[in-house]
Amino acid sequence: MRLESAQGLKQQLLKEVVEPFVVWASRLRGKTASTAASAPSAGSMAGRPIAFGVSARPLDTVPKIPRSVALGVARHQGEYKLAVRVQRPSLVESPLMQHLTREAKGEVDVRIVGRIDKRARARRAAPDSILADAVIPWYQRNTRPLTIGASVGHVDVTAGTISAFVKRGGAAYLLSNNHVLAKEDQARAGDRILQRAKYDGGRDPSERVARLRFWIKLKLTGANFVDGALAEIDKGIAYDASRLRGLVQGGDRKLMGLGPVFTDEGELVFKIGRTTGPTGGRVTAFDLDNVVVNYDKGNLRFDGQIEIEGVGNAAFSDGGDSGSLIVNARMEAAALLFAGGDSGGSNGRGLTYANPIHRVLKDLKATLLF
Amino acid sequence: MKRVMPLVTLERAQAAKKTAQRLFETVDSVVGVGITRLGGQYAVKVNLSGPVAPGTELPTEIDGVPVRVEVTGAIRPR
């Protein structure tokens, strides 16, 4: 396209699509609103989930704006294109990118640029009431009964995912990661757990659903096996232990129980997570030892892990999907998602790491409900 | 006659993985050593956080078990 066209399109898309999304994705922190005009342009994006990733971590460590998208103009052999720079591989396949590509009639130059460490200040967010309900996916909303895949977190943690529901002794618990529910060992038993999580607008006390009870300590020396924690579900809070909402091609599935102890390379797996929703993946490695994960408390080593890549052109997970239950093709529980990176995998969209579910349940002395 | 390579069993791959862990112990950028498959056979997978220093030799096979090295970048909790 011509330079003027590319520039015009860039301005138009910045105003209509990208700015509202950035404002909107950073809406949390309970800030109230300034303008209704900043709500995303209606219609065009309605009903499509947005994958804005933020890792599950203490709220005070998070930059003001989530990593997202920048627009510009790129020149290729005399032709101008819309330049799109995304800061996460998962955004390449996002509905936002599909929209931009459509608007530019395919004349786009997309590159992943990684983290850029200069913080910008977002305009204040629109209030919840103005956000088009249809555009926020169910897994980032207040979901009752509590459902596998929905946003959850310790009251001081951004957001993670409800893995599954378990029994220990006589009580029912929700399962997720230590770094989602127990703040990497910084929390105390009895601390409040919110659904939806703080980052998704969860309010304390009205969206309290559970209290932190048990977690596996994360060791700085030696091997860890599980990043897991249990929160006891409050009386009067309903949960659905078997529904795998929208897991395959938008259709529900039911959790069928525990899968086999052995998970082989090449196995097809699925998960529902707070950020990327339902995705499919393939096991790329198992019995993975010496997995070094950069936690806030330091570099921790994990042994006996499972590695997964996304199928097709998408990432299997992104920040905020921590805690997701990974199921096999028979809808049996296989693993607990806890970490990932942005490079590697046969599609270059990064790899995801997970604790085998048998070890998780054994170490937490829990049995799976389904 | 063409020699038929014996199939790499899971046990052989696991033994080679142990050797790989020893061999790669001094490589700082190792962020995972596990089992994968290459061409249908079990193999050892070694993940690195970044490219190795020029001149560093990495094995492509241990005791007849293929080794696949992949740069996976840094791994963060999600």
Side-chain angles (χ1 to χ4, degrees):
Chain A
M1 66 180 96
R2 290 183 303 121
L3 178 59
E4 302 78 60
S5 317
Q7 283 170 330
L9 183 62
K10 181 197 109 180
Q11 287 306 332
Q12 179 204 329
L13 290 172
L14 265 179
K15 217 174 159 60
E16 289 178 4
V17 182
V18 177
E19 281 177 16
F21 262 76
V22 169
V23 168
W24 194 43
S26 59
R27 70 188 184 275
L28 74 129
R29 304 162 189 289
K31 278 181 183 164
T32 37
S34 51
T35 56
S38 59
S41 57
S44 61
M45 306 299 293
R48 299 196 193 99
I50 306 106
F52 268 105
V54 58
S55 60
R57 57 193 306 186
L59 277 163
D60 52 15
T61 65
V62 184
K64 292 278 185 267
I65 292 188
R67 289 198 274 162
S68 57
V69 178
L71 294 188
V73 174
R75 191 175 178 182
H76 280 279
Q77 295 158 348
E79 280 287 296
Y80 292 93
K81 286 184 171 183
L82 181 69
V84 185
R85 302 294 177 256
V86 298
Q87 293 183 282
R88 277 193 170 270
S90 68
L91 281 172
V92 173
E93 288 301 302
S94 66
L96 174 59
M97 265 309 306
Q98 287 162 15
H99 181 76
L100 294 176
T101 308
R102 235 184 353 260
E103 290 291 308
K105 300 190 169 55
E107 294 186 59
V108 288
D109 173 75
V110 184
R111 283 180 212 177
I112 302 164
V113 292
R115 185 194 295 272
I116 296 173
D117 264 335
K118 179 90 177 164
R119 289 177 196 180
R121 184 173 285 275
R123 276 189 285 146
R124 287 193 158 192
D128 281 18
S129 57
I130 288 168
L131 294 168
D133 257 0
V135 200
I136 300 177
W138 68 266
Y139 39 82
Q140 290 170 13
R141 294 198 233 165
N142 179 306
T143 306
R144 305 289 181 276
L146 299 178
T147 303
I148 290 169
S151 162
V152 77
H154 181 279
V155 70
D156 294 335
V157 168
T158 51
T161 299
I162 296 177
S163 180
F165 301 94
V166 302
K167 267 239 144 82
R168 174 168 165 162
Y173 298 81
L174 66 85
L175 167 68
S176 190
N177 295 131
N178 175 326
H179 76 269
V180 172
L181 300 179
K183 248 177 109 177
E184 295 187 24
D185 301 328
Q186 299 302 302
R188 291 175 178 195
D191 279 2
R192 295 298 189 166
I193 305 301
L194 303 183
Q195 196 295 317
R196 55 206 163 140
K198 256 299 181 39
Y199 196 84
D200 292 321
R203 294 190 182 90
D204 187 21
S206 62
E207 291 177 275
R208 292 176 177 179
V209 295
R211 285 170 180 271
L212 175 67
R213 286 293 175 224
F214 305 105
W215 62 96
I216 307 297
K217 264 196 114 176
L218 294 165
K219 298 190 290 182
L220 279 163
T221 51
N224 293 278
F225 294 89
V226 171
D227 178 349
L230 300 181
E232 187 175 350
I233 298 167
D234 291 345
K235 284 203 169 54
I237 300 288
Y239 59 92
D240 185 335
S242 72
R243 185 182 188 190
L244 299 171
R245 186 171 170 183
L247 184 69
V248 183
Q249 289 167 349
D252 287 5
R253 293 291 186 274
K254 274 194 182 314
L255 181 61
M256 300 307 286
L258 263 182
V261 175
F262 180 65
T263 300
D264 205 350
E265 193 274 345
E267 269 188 47
L268 200 60
V269 291
F270 302 89
K271 74 103 189 55
I272 309 164
R274 173 265 163 208
T275 301
T276 58
T279 57
R282 197 168 24 238
V283 175
T284 48
F286 58 91
D287 273 357
L288 200 64
D289 295 344
N290 306 75
V291 179
V292 180
V293 185
N294 314 141
Y295 281 79
D296 287 336
K297 71 189 289 184
N299 287 346
L300 307 188
R301 172 184 161 176
F302 282 79
D303 279 7
Q305 303 301 302
I306 296 170
E307 183 187 83
I308 297 150
E309 66 179 15
V311 293
N313 207 18
F316 184 64
S317 73
D318 203 344
D321 288 333
S322 259
S324 299
L325 181 70
I326 296 170
V327 298
N328 63 22
R330 293 179 301 276
M331 302 297 133
E332 298 162 337
L336 172 65
L337 193 157
F338 80 108
D342 290 344
S343 358
S346 53
N347 62 11
R349 299 281 187 259
L351 293 161
T352 296
Y353 297 88
N355 315 136
I357 198 72
H358 284 270
R359 181 71 193 244
V360 173
L361 295 173
K362 179 176 155 252
D363 287 4
L364 285 166
K365 302 180 178 69
T367 51
L368 184 71
L369 295 171
F370 57 94
Chain B
M1 214 173 79
K2 205 174 159 191
R3 218 175 66 137
V4 180
M5 289 289 288
L7 202 71
V8 178
T9 60
L10 187 53
E11 290 67 35
R12 273 185 63 202
Q14 266 155 349
K17 185 188 106 177
K18 283 210 176 76
T19 311
Q21 281 175 289
R22 267 203 316 279
L23 288 173
F24 283 86
E25 213 166 35
T26 55
V27 183
D28 285 340
S29 57
V30 170
V31 289
V33 182
I35 310 283
T36 186
R37 280 196 216 235
L38 282 175
Q41 297 212 24
Y42 284 116
V44 173
K45 183 164 192 246
V46 178
N47 292 342
L48 303 177
S49 60
V52 291
T56 312
E57 289 272 333
L58 300 176
T60 56
E61 199 187 280
I62 295 167
D63 300 330
V65 179
V67 176
R68 178 171 170 225
V69 177
E70 181 172 24
V71 175
T72 59
I75 301 164
R76 288 268 316 156
R78 293 233 133 138

PDB file of all heavy atoms in Angstrom, chain A residues 197-217:
ATOM      1  N   ALA A 197      -9.860 -13.243  40.089  1.00  0.00           N
ATOM      2  CA  ALA A 197      -8.677 -12.738  40.766  1.00  0.00           C
ATOM      3  C   ALA A 197      -8.633 -11.212  40.690  1.00  0.00           C
ATOM      4  O   ALA A 197      -9.332 -10.598  39.883  1.00  0.00           O
ATOM      5  CB  ALA A 197      -7.429 -13.326  40.122  1.00  0.00           C
ATOM      6  N   LYS A 198      -7.808 -10.638  41.558  1.00  0.00           N
ATOM      7  CA  LYS A 198      -7.666  -9.179  41.627  1.00  0.00           C
ATOM      8  C   LYS A 198      -7.447  -8.544  40.254  1.00  0.00           C
ATOM      9  O   LYS A 198      -8.056  -7.540  39.901  1.00  0.00           O
ATOM     10  CB  LYS A 198      -6.449  -8.838  42.492  1.00  0.00           C
ATOM     11  CG  LYS A 198      -6.717  -8.339  43.915  1.00  0.00           C
ATOM     12  CD  LYS A 198      -7.495  -7.092  44.003  1.00  0.00           C
ATOM     13  CE  LYS A 198      -7.777  -6.549  45.379  1.00  0.00           C
ATOM     14  NZ  LYS A 198      -6.733  -6.633  46.369  1.00  0.00           N
ATOM     15  N   TYR A 199      -6.571  -9.139  39.466  1.00  0.00           N
ATOM     16  CA  TYR A 199      -6.204  -8.564  38.167  1.00  0.00           C
ATOM     17  C   TYR A 199      -7.396  -8.483  37.223  1.00  0.00           C
ATOM     18  O   TYR A 199      -7.441  -7.655  36.329  1.00  0.00           O
ATOM     19  CB  TYR A 199      -5.102  -9.419  37.520  1.00  0.00           C
ATOM     20  CG  TYR A 199      -4.386  -8.731  36.391  1.00  0.00           C
ATOM     21  CD1 TYR A 199      -3.330  -7.869  36.637  1.00  0.00           C
ATOM     22  CD2 TYR A 199      -4.773  -8.940  35.068  1.00  0.00           C
ATOM     23  CE1 TYR A 199      -2.675  -7.230  35.608  1.00  0.00           C
ATOM     24  CE2 TYR A 199      -4.122  -8.308  34.033  1.00  0.00           C
ATOM     25  CZ  TYR A 199      -3.076  -7.448  34.302  1.00  0.00           C
ATOM     26  OH  TYR A 199      -2.432  -6.815  33.285  1.00  0.00           O
ATOM     27  N   ASP A 200      -8.365  -9.349  37.434  1.00  0.00           N
ATOM     28  CA  ASP A 200      -9.547  -9.355  36.574  1.00  0.00           C
ATOM     29  C   ASP A 200     -10.689  -8.549  37.172  1.00  0.00           C
ATOM     30  O   ASP A 200     -11.823  -8.633  36.699  1.00  0.00           O
ATOM     31  CB  ASP A 200      -9.973 -10.802  36.302  1.00  0.00           C
ATOM     32  CG  ASP A 200      -8.947 -11.526  35.451  1.00  0.00           C
ATOM     33  OD1 ASP A 200      -8.405 -10.889  34.528  1.00  0.00           O
ATOM     34  OD2 ASP A 200      -8.648 -12.695  35.720  1.00  0.00           O
ATOM     35  N   GLY A 201     -10.365  -7.785  38.222  1.00  0.00           N
ATOM     36  CA  GLY A 201     -11.373  -6.931  38.826  1.00  0.00           C
ATOM     37  C   GLY A 201     -12.021  -7.533  40.060  1.00  0.00           C
ATOM     38  O   GLY A 201     -12.982  -6.976  40.593  1.00  0.00           O
ATOM     39  N   GLY A 202     -11.506  -8.667  40.524  1.00  0.00           N
ATOM     40  CA  GLY A 202     -12.078  -9.347  41.694  1.00  0.00           C
ATOM     41  C   GLY A 202     -12.042  -8.450  42.930  1.00  0.00           C
ATOM     42  O   GLY A 202     -11.050  -7.797  43.193  1.00  0.00           O
ATOM     43  N   ARG A 203     -13.157  -8.429  43.654  1.00  0.00           N
ATOM     44  CA  ARG A 203     -13.269  -7.539  44.814  1.00  0.00           C
ATOM     45  C   ARG A 203     -13.202  -8.333  46.109  1.00  0.00           C
ATOM     46  O   ARG A 203     -13.745  -9.425  46.206  1.00  0.00           O
ATOM     47  CB  ARG A 203     -14.587  -6.771  44.756  1.00  0.00           C
ATOM     48  CG  ARG A 203     -14.643  -5.802  43.586  1.00  0.00           C
ATOM     49  CD  ARG A 203     -15.845  -4.893  43.707  1.00  0.00           C
ATOM     50  NE  ARG A 203     -15.915  -4.000  42.554  1.00  0.00           N
ATOM     51  CZ  ARG A 203     -16.579  -4.292  41.429  1.00  0.00           C
ATOM     52  NH1 ARG A 203     -17.233  -5.431  41.325  1.00  0.00           N
ATOM     53  NH2 ARG A 203     -16.594  -3.452  40.422  1.00  0.00           N
ATOM     54  N   ASP A 204     -12.548  -7.709  47.068  1.00  0.00           N
ATOM     55  CA  ASP A 204     -12.479  -8.264  48.407  1.00  0.00           C
ATOM     56  C   ASP A 204     -13.349  -7.377  49.288  1.00  0.00           C
ATOM     57  O   ASP A 204     -13.129  -6.154  49.310  1.00  0.00           O
ATOM     58  CB  ASP A 204     -11.015  -8.227  48.882  1.00  0.00           C
ATOM     59  CG  ASP A 204     -10.826  -8.936  50.206  1.00  0.00           C
ATOM     60  OD1 ASP A 204     -11.687  -9.769  50.553  1.00  0.00           O
ATOM     61  OD2 ASP A 204      -9.845  -8.637  50.884  1.00  0.00           O
ATOM     62  N   PRO A 205     -14.353  -7.858  49.990  1.00  0.00           N
ATOM     63  CA  PRO A 205     -14.626  -9.269  50.277  1.00  0.00           C
ATOM     64  C   PRO A 205     -15.661  -9.941  49.373  1.00  0.00           C
ATOM     65  O   PRO A 205     -15.851 -11.149  49.510  1.00  0.00           O
ATOM     66  CB  PRO A 205     -15.178  -9.207  51.698  1.00  0.00           C
ATOM     67  CG  PRO A 205     -15.916  -7.907  51.752  1.00  0.00           C
ATOM     68  CD  PRO A 205     -15.172  -6.975  50.833  1.00  0.00           C
ATOM     69  N   SER A 206     -16.307  -9.193  48.447  1.00  0.00           N
ATOM     70  CA  SER A 206     -17.493  -9.788  47.821  1.00  0.00           C
ATOM     71  C   SER A 206     -17.175 -10.962  46.892  1.00  0.00           C
ATOM     72  O   SER A 206     -18.063 -11.738  46.563  1.00  0.00           O
ATOM     73  CB  SER A 206     -18.287  -8.722  47.065  1.00  0.00           C
ATOM     74  OG  SER A 206     -17.508  -8.184  46.028  1.00  0.00           O
ATOM     75  N   GLU A 207     -15.924 -11.112  46.454  1.00  0.00           N
ATOM     76  CA  GLU A 207     -15.610 -12.239  45.579  1.00  0.00           C
ATOM     77  C   GLU A 207     -14.651 -13.245  46.237  1.00  0.00           C
ATOM     78  O   GLU A 207     -13.976 -14.015  45.561  1.00  0.00           O
ATOM     79  CB  GLU A 207     -15.088 -11.728  44.223  1.00  0.00           C
ATOM     80  CG  GLU A 207     -16.232 -11.043  43.458  1.00  0.00           C
ATOM     81  CD  GLU A 207     -15.832 -10.433  42.129  1.00  0.00           C
ATOM     82  OE1 GLU A 207     -15.356  -9.283  42.133  1.00  0.00           O
ATOM     83  OE2 GLU A 207     -15.994 -11.110  41.099  1.00  0.00           O
ATOM     84  N   ARG A 208     -14.653 -13.259  47.562  1.00  0.00           N
ATOM     85  CA  ARG A 208     -13.934 -14.309  48.289  1.00  0.00           C
ATOM     86  C   ARG A 208     -14.637 -15.639  48.097  1.00  0.00           C
ATOM     87  O   ARG A 208     -15.860 -15.701  48.213  1.00  0.00           O
ATOM     88  CB  ARG A 208     -13.938 -14.007  49.788  1.00  0.00           C
ATOM     89  CG  ARG A 208     -13.117 -12.811  50.192  1.00  0.00           C
ATOM     90  CD  ARG A 208     -13.310 -12.595  51.678  1.00  0.00           C
ATOM     91  NE  ARG A 208     -12.483 -11.498  52.162  1.00  0.00           N
ATOM     92  CZ  ARG A 208     -12.467 -11.092  53.420  1.00  0.00           C
ATOM     93  NH1 ARG A 208     -13.237 -11.702  54.321  1.00  0.00           N
ATOM     94  NH2 ARG A 208     -11.701 -10.100  53.799  1.00  0.00           N
ATOM     95  N   VAL A 209     -13.878 -16.659  47.811  1.00  0.00           N
ATOM     96  CA  VAL A 209     -14.505 -17.968  47.622  1.00  0.00           C
ATOM     97  C   VAL A 209     -13.845 -19.080  48.438  1.00  0.00           C
ATOM     98  O   VAL A 209     -14.413 -20.158  48.595  1.00  0.00           O
ATOM     99  CB  VAL A 209     -14.492 -18.409  46.135  1.00  0.00           C
ATOM    100  CG1 VAL A 209     -15.345 -17.473  45.292  1.00  0.00           C
ATOM    101  CG2 VAL A 209     -13.071 -18.482  45.590  1.00  0.00           C
ATOM    102  N   ALA A 210     -12.629 -18.831  48.934  1.00  0.00           N
ATOM    103  CA  ALA A 210     -11.900 -19.911  49.604  1.00  0.00           C
ATOM    104  C   ALA A 210     -10.834 -19.327  50.524  1.00  0.00           C
ATOM    105  O   ALA A 210     -10.553 -18.119  50.483  1.00  0.00           O
ATOM    106  CB  ALA A 210     -11.253 -20.822  48.566  1.00  0.00           C
ATOM    107  N   ARG A 211     -10.254 -20.201  51.362  1.00  0.00           N
ATOM    108  CA  ARG A 211      -9.145 -19.807  52.226  1.00  0.00           C
ATOM    109  C   ARG A 211      -7.964 -20.757  51.991  1.00  0.00           C
ATOM    110  O   ARG A 211      -8.149 -21.973  51.952  1.00  0.00           O
ATOM    111  CB  ARG A 211      -9.538 -19.927  53.707  1.00  0.00           C
ATOM    112  CG  ARG A 211     -10.459 -18.836  54.205  1.00  0.00           C
ATOM    113  CD  ARG A 211     -10.944 -19.217  55.594  1.00  0.00           C
ATOM    114  NE  ARG A 211     -11.834 -18.216  56.138  1.00  0.00           N
ATOM    115  CZ  ARG A 211     -11.413 -17.167  56.858  1.00  0.00           C
ATOM    116  NH1 ARG A 211     -10.122 -17.001  57.120  1.00  0.00           N
ATOM    117  NH2 ARG A 211     -12.275 -16.303  57.324  1.00  0.00           N
ATOM    118  N   LEU A 212      -6.795 -20.177  51.866  1.00  0.00           N
ATOM    119  CA  LEU A 212      -5.586 -20.980  51.663  1.00  0.00           C
ATOM    120  C   LEU A 212      -5.386 -21.929  52.850  1.00  0.00           C
ATOM    121  O   LEU A 212      -5.461 -21.513  53.996  1.00  0.00           O
ATOM    122  CB  LEU A 212      -4.378 -20.042  51.544  1.00  0.00           C
ATOM    123  CG  LEU A 212      -3.017 -20.729  51.451  1.00  0.00           C
ATOM    124  CD1 LEU A 212      -2.882 -21.503  50.139  1.00  0.00           C
ATOM    125  CD2 LEU A 212      -1.894 -19.713  51.573  1.00  0.00           C
ATOM    126  N   ARG A 213      -5.157 -23.223  52.566  1.00  0.00           N
ATOM    127  CA  ARG A 213      -4.938 -24.196  53.657  1.00  0.00           C
ATOM    128  C   ARG A 213      -3.594 -24.910  53.562  1.00  0.00           C
ATOM    129  O   ARG A 213      -2.844 -24.948  54.519  1.00  0.00           O
ATOM    130  CB  ARG A 213      -6.047 -25.249  53.657  1.00  0.00           C
ATOM    131  CG  ARG A 213      -7.374 -24.762  54.167  1.00  0.00           C
ATOM    132  CD  ARG A 213      -7.325 -24.420  55.663  1.00  0.00           C
ATOM    133  NE  ARG A 213      -8.592 -23.852  56.078  1.00  0.00           N
ATOM    134  CZ  ARG A 213      -8.696 -22.772  56.866  1.00  0.00           C
ATOM    135  NH1 ARG A 213      -7.612 -22.163  57.321  1.00  0.00           N
ATOM    136  NH2 ARG A 213      -9.875 -22.316  57.190  1.00  0.00           N
ATOM    137  N   PHE A 214      -3.321 -25.540  52.426  1.00  0.00           N
ATOM    138  CA  PHE A 214      -2.109 -26.363  52.314  1.00  0.00           C
ATOM    139  C   PHE A 214      -1.331 -25.995  51.064  1.00  0.00           C
ATOM    140  O   PHE A 214      -1.926 -25.687  50.032  1.00  0.00           O
ATOM    141  CB  PHE A 214      -2.475 -27.850  52.214  1.00  0.00           C
ATOM    142  CG  PHE A 214      -3.339 -28.330  53.340  1.00  0.00           C
ATOM    143  CD1 PHE A 214      -4.695 -28.570  53.139  1.00  0.00           C
ATOM    144  CD2 PHE A 214      -2.807 -28.546  54.605  1.00  0.00           C
ATOM    145  CE1 PHE A 214      -5.508 -29.014  54.173  1.00  0.00           C
ATOM    146  CE2 PHE A 214      -3.609 -28.989  55.653  1.00  0.00           C
ATOM    147  CZ  PHE A 214      -4.967 -29.226  55.436  1.00  0.00           C
ATOM    148  N   TRP A 215       0.001 -26.033  51.165  1.00  0.00           N
ATOM    149  CA  TRP A 215       0.791 -25.843  49.951  1.00  0.00           C
ATOM    150  C   TRP A 215       2.138 -26.543  50.095  1.00  0.00           C
ATOM    151  O   TRP A 215       2.591 -26.808  51.209  1.00  0.00           O
ATOM    152  CB  TRP A 215       0.977 -24.359  49.629  1.00  0.00           C
ATOM    153  CG  TRP A 215       1.720 -23.538  50.645  1.00  0.00           C
ATOM    154  CD1 TRP A 215       3.044 -23.230  50.637  1.00  0.00           C
ATOM    155  CD2 TRP A 215       1.161 -22.887  51.801  1.00  0.00           C
ATOM    156  NE1 TRP A 215       3.346 -22.426  51.718  1.00  0.00           N
ATOM    157  CE2 TRP A 215       2.211 -22.202  52.439  1.00  0.00           C
ATOM    158  CE3 TRP A 215      -0.127 -22.819  52.355  1.00  0.00           C
ATOM    159  CZ2 TRP A 215       2.025 -21.463  53.619  1.00  0.00           C
ATOM    160  CZ3 TRP A 215      -0.306 -22.084  53.517  1.00  0.00           C
ATOM    161  CH2 TRP A 215       0.755 -21.416  54.128  1.00  0.00           C
ATOM    162  N   ILE A 216       2.734 -26.860  48.950  1.00  0.00           N
ATOM    163  CA  ILE A 216       4.053 -27.490  48.927  1.00  0.00           C
ATOM    164  C   ILE A 216       5.080 -26.371  48.872  1.00  0.00           C
ATOM    165  O   ILE A 216       5.055 -25.539  47.958  1.00  0.00           O
ATOM    166  CB  ILE A 216       4.223 -28.397  47.682  1.00  0.00           C
ATOM    167  CG1 ILE A 216       3.069 -29.401  47.567  1.00  0.00           C
ATOM    168  CG2 ILE A 216       5.572 -29.115  47.714  1.00  0.00           C
ATOM    169  CD1 ILE A 216       2.953 -30.384  48.683  1.00  0.00           C
ATOM    170  N   LYS A 217       5.980 -26.358  49.867  1.00  0.00           N
ATOM    171  CA  LYS A 217       6.988 -25.282  49.909  1.00  0.00           C
ATOM    172  C   LYS A 217       7.904 -25.347  48.693  1.00  0.00           C
ATOM    173  O   LYS A 217       8.284 -26.427  48.242  1.00  0.00           O
ATOM    174  CB  LYS A 217       7.825 -25.413  51.185  1.00  0.00           C
ATOM    175  CG  LYS A 217       7.316 -24.520  52.296  1.00  0.00           C
ATOM    176  CD  LYS A 217       8.350 -24.345  53.390  1.00  0.00           C
ATOM    177  CE  LYS A 217       8.778 -22.907  53.410  1.00  0.00           C
ATOM    178  NZ  LYS A 217       9.703 -22.556  54.466  1.00  0.00           N
TER     179      LYS A 217
END
